[in-house]
Amino acid sequence: MNKYSDINESARDVLMEIGNIGTGNAVTALSSMINHRIEIDHPNVKIMEFEEVPAMLGGPEEIKLGVLLELSGDLNGMFMFLISTKFAQAMLGKLLGTEIEDVRNLDDMSLSAVCEIGNIMCCSYINAMTVMMDLRVHVSVPDICIDMTGAILSVPMIHFARLSDELLLIEDKYHFDDQEVVSHILFLPEIHSLERIFKALGEEYEG
């Protein structure tokens, strides 16, 4: 296997299950963090080409907040939590009680809060994988970036372009009060790590 689209339907179901468990864990943690009930739709797990992602996220010039974590150990790769302006404003409003007009001018406390939210979200999926597969994974300190979508995605694109032109994307839609917000998680395991995921779960991953 040398690209994500080589995996079969059975393996895709495994990814969906990881997405379901990770999303459940993430919502529980996030609800506790902001002390507010959150409901979530069924997560949408997609295998996409890099070049398709910016358009799906609102275009390459759309402002996003990206929280990046690197994995090492039994699995190697990256997790990136992409936060829309609307999502950040809603979460920071609940968490800090402040109204954010421009996410590009966040103070240190707000940046720290966003970074922690991204860390919680990504680690919820990472923990779901490691528990299901009995693997040991080390996670880096989260790194946050606020920029246009195209610029944020250039980091994983440059790193993974030599490995694959595809990535795994998990789309979550949240509901609380009268608001609906969407977030995306990009999962970029290196190819040998992707193979290890499916072998650990006893799946024949090749289509």
Side-chain angles (χ1 to χ4, degrees):
M1 184 180 73
N2 55 26
K3 57 183 179 179
Y4 299 128
S5 57
D6 286 346
I7 63 177
N8 61 21
E9 288 302 316
S10 178
R12 288 172 190 253
D13 289 343
V14 173
L15 290 177
M16 183 63 74
E17 182 60 19
I18 290 173
N20 287 334
I21 295 172
T23 296
N25 294 342
V27 169
T28 299
L30 195 58
S31 294
S32 177
M33 185 178 185
I34 67 173
N35 193 29
H36 196 84
R37 178 179 173 81
I38 299 175
E39 295 183 355
I40 191 167
D41 291 350
H42 192 72
N44 190 7
V45 180
K46 301 181 179 181
I47 296 173
M48 302 183 67
E49 293 188 3
F50 277 125
E51 61 185 23
E52 298 174 339
V53 176
M56 180 184 173
L57 299 177
E61 296 183 357
E62 181 82 6
I63 297 297
K64 299 282 186 183
L65 299 87
V67 179
L68 179 68
L69 290 84
E70 295 191 41
L71 310 183
S72 59
D74 289 342
L75 298 177
N76 293 279
M78 295 180 181
F79 261 82
M80 177 178 280
F81 184 53
L82 287 171
I83 308 169
S84 67
T85 295
K86 186 177 180 180
F87 184 97
Q89 290 171 331
M91 291 298 103
L92 290 174
K94 291 292 183 185
L95 188 61
L96 303 178
T98 57
E99 185 174 333
I100 306 297
E101 293 185 3
D102 189 345
V103 296
R104 290 168 293 185
N105 296 318
L106 297 181
D107 58 25
D108 289 343
M109 182 177 293
S110 297
L111 284 172
S112 178
V114 170
C115 204
E116 182 59 22
I117 289 171
N119 187 48
I120 288 173
M121 300 299 288
C122 289
C123 285
S124 294
Y125 291 93
I126 295 168
N127 290 339
M129 286 193 304
T130 56
V131 169
M132 289 179 70
M133 296 178 290
D134 192 27
L135 299 175
R136 293 189 178 185
V137 176
H138 305 290
V139 182
S140 70
V141 174
D143 186 25
I144 187 170
C145 177
I146 304 172
D147 208 331
M148 293 185 292
T149 299
I152 291 177
L153 291 179
S154 66
V155 174
M157 284 183 177
I158 290 172
H159 181 80
F160 283 91
R162 60 185 176 82
L163 303 175
S164 174
D165 58 358
E166 297 168 325
L167 53 75
L168 304 176
L169 182 144
I170 302 170
E171 181 180 76
D172 290 318
K173 186 177 293 184
Y174 307 86
H175 305 271
F176 55 93
D177 295 337
D178 59 348
Q179 299 187 74
E180 176 182 286
V181 294
V182 176
S183 72
H184 297 87
I185 286 187
L186 307 184
F187 176 31
L188 302 108
E190 296 187 2
I191 294 299
H192 74 275
S193 292
L194 191 63
E195 293 174 351
R196 187 164 192 173
I197 289 171
F198 296 119
K199 285 181 179 178
L201 293 169
E203 295 289 343
E204 294 294 333
Y205 52 81
E206 292 185 348

